[in-house]
Amino acid sequence: MAAPLSHDTHLALLYVATAAAAVRLDLSFWTAALAVALGLNVWALLVVSAWRRAEALVRRLRPPELQVR
């Protein structure tokens, strides 16, 4: 689940930031890089939140032989 946070993703997003700064000359590279860094932090928070939710759901599941009737 956390695989999209690998180094390849960071590099790809920095390349996108560089391309965006090159295409829009009024946008500096540092502005684009800051937007990418903030976007990655938000993405990381979403991934961790989803991971914790999935753990909570799995924790509530029990095999049928262990369920109390």
Side-chain angles (χ1 to χ4, degrees):
M1 210 171 180
L5 297 175
S6 68
H7 296 295
D8 295 336
T9 303
H10 287 72
L11 289 175
L13 288 172
L14 282 175
Y15 286 139
V16 169
T18 305
V23 170
R24 288 196 48 198
L25 296 178
D26 61 327
L27 183 67
S28 72
F29 172 76
W30 294 113
T31 303
L34 181 63
V36 167
L38 291 174
L40 282 175
N41 284 329
V42 169
W43 179 253
L45 288 173
L46 289 173
V47 167
V48 169
S49 172
W51 186 274
R52 297 294 304 253
R53 258 193 203 155
E55 282 181 337
L57 287 172
V58 169
R59 198 175 305 125
R60 279 191 273 165
L61 295 176
R62 294 184 182 188
E65 62 272 3
L66 294 178
Q67 288 182 352
V68 178
R69 294 181 194 209

